[in-house]
Amino acid sequence: MDRDSPLLGITLMLGFCILAPLADATAKLIGAAIPLGQLVLVRFAIQALILWPLFRRGGHRLSLPPRLFGRILWRTLLQVAGIATMVFALRHLPLADAIAIAYVMPFFMLLLGRFVLQEQVGSRRLVACIVGFAGTLMVVQPAFAQLGWVALLPLLVAVEFALFILVTRQISREIAPIPLQAITGLLGTALLFPVILLAEGSGIAELDPVEPTLREGLLLVALGILGTLSHLLMTWALRFAPAATLAPMQYLEIPFGALFGWLIFAQFPNGLALAGICVVMLSGLYIIWRERMASRAPAR
């Protein structure tokens, strides 16, 4: 067991908040040049290549109980769908806007916990969900007026990753993080490779693979490395610091997304979107604070 080291955990989570939007920025840079299926396949293949040595070094095996394998397969499908939807959304939306809209995910998590898992959720947190969703609509509105339904794709990303986290919660006590991520990388690669292979020459724009240029190839490799490392940093952060300590830091991903969007794409949220981002962040932080207060309250 690792001893708690909050400063190390916070540092690792800060690394996640930097690398995750940087991975999104990389996906945005090449999203229009590389077919969606090929891009997601490379993302999972590199994850498998990076984590397989760690998987083997830990003495883990691929044999899993059928029940656990089924949940990991479902988790992999949700992650594939979430990444693909986000990459498609980033082709059209500013980086900061897409990340901020997708951060309605904690609100969906709370509602799913309340109505699906029958968890106790107080009225104040439900109100915070409504306020946070209103802030999300403030971010969506300018993009929706310009782009139409594409601006709603990050909301779908939020739903997909909320379900992804719920499944992860269910299996997190039965399998360690490194084996889970390694098996996910292998499964994602195994699922996508035949599809891309069969689609070669089909003319289906999002599946028919292309030969990347040197620049595009390097960006594809960078995307796989950044995506894998960001998830590893979050996993390791949770080994050294409590989730309650780290949860508020995740919202730093939004301002870092705004910074990278400005530096790389010369895009910055307008006044209404910026106000909506602030509402989303404050509502999410309030929910986290209420969760911490509820967890400290003595059991009745």
Side-chain angles (χ1 to χ4, degrees):
M1 293 292 292
D2 296 301
R3 294 182 178 179
D4 274 357
S5 179
L7 182 59
L8 178 57
I10 288 171
T11 302
L12 291 169
M13 183 58 75
L14 179 61
F16 164 80
C17 292
I18 296 172
L19 291 186
L22 193 56
D24 289 336
T26 305
K28 185 174 176 63
L29 281 171
I30 57 172
I34 303 296
L36 188 60
Q38 182 179 358
L39 188 150
V40 180
L41 169 62
V42 172
R43 161 69 178 79
F44 277 89
I46 292 176
Q47 177 175 320
L49 287 173
I50 291 174
L51 295 180
W52 181 250
L54 297 175
F55 180 84
R56 296 297 298 169
R57 185 179 177 183
H60 305 289
R61 293 182 297 178
L62 287 176
S63 57
L64 296 168
R67 176 185 56 82
L68 186 58
F69 178 80
R71 291 184 179 182
I72 294 177
L73 178 60
W74 175 232
R75 178 183 183 272
T76 302
L77 291 172
L78 287 170
Q79 189 174 9
V80 168
I83 292 174
T85 308
M86 188 64 170
V87 170
F88 190 81
L90 286 169
R91 291 181 182 176
H92 307 280
L93 291 171
L95 182 63
D97 289 15
I99 293 174
I101 295 168
Y103 256 88
V104 76
M105 180 187 66
F107 311 137
F108 285 143
M109 285 290 300
L110 202 65
L111 294 176
L112 285 171
R114 170 65 178 84
F115 296 107
V116 177
L117 301 180
Q118 304 302 315
E119 296 176 350
Q120 293 297 319
V121 178
S123 58
R124 294 181 182 180
R125 279 174 281 176
L126 288 175
V127 170
C129 280
I130 296 172
V131 173
F133 191 76
T136 303
L137 294 179
M138 292 169 65
V139 184
V140 169
Q141 193 276 331
F144 186 80
Q146 182 180 1
L147 301 171
W149 66 269
V150 176
L152 302 178
L153 284 176
L155 293 176
L156 179 58
V157 174
V159 174
E160 290 164 342
F161 273 105
L163 294 171
F164 168 83
I165 290 175
L166 284 178
V167 176
T168 303
R169 277 185 184 178
Q170 293 177 344
I171 62 178
S172 60
R173 294 184 180 182
E174 301 182 58
I175 183 170
I178 295 296
L180 178 59
Q181 289 297 98
I183 293 172
T184 298
L186 290 171
L187 276 176
T189 304
L191 290 169
L192 290 167
F193 183 75
V195 176
I196 302 304
L197 188 63
L198 291 173
E200 186 174 4
S202 66
I204 303 174
E206 297 299 347
L207 296 178
D208 192 356
V210 300
E211 183 177 351
T213 64
L214 177 60
R215 173 182 176 274
E216 292 164 354
L218 292 174
L219 286 173
L220 275 172
V221 173
L223 173 62
I225 293 173
L226 288 170
T228 302
L229 289 182
S230 64
H231 279 87
L232 282 178
L233 286 177
M234 176 185 282
T235 300
W236 285 329
L238 290 167
R239 294 180 65 178
F240 293 104
T245 301
L246 299 175
M249 289 196 62
Q250 295 182 36
Y251 281 89
L252 288 175
E253 190 179 342
I254 299 177
F256 276 118
L259 176 63
F260 293 139
W262 175 59
L263 291 176
I264 299 173
F265 306 104
Q267 296 174 336
F268 198 78
N270 63 18
L272 181 60
L274 191 59
I277 288 173
C278 293
V279 172
V280 170
M281 292 176 65
L282 290 173
S283 300
L285 291 173
Y286 176 79
I287 287 175
I288 293 169
W289 177 75
R290 288 296 303 174
E291 292 285 352
R292 293 179 68 178
M293 295 294 292
S295 66
R296 291 177 182 176
R300 292 185 180 179

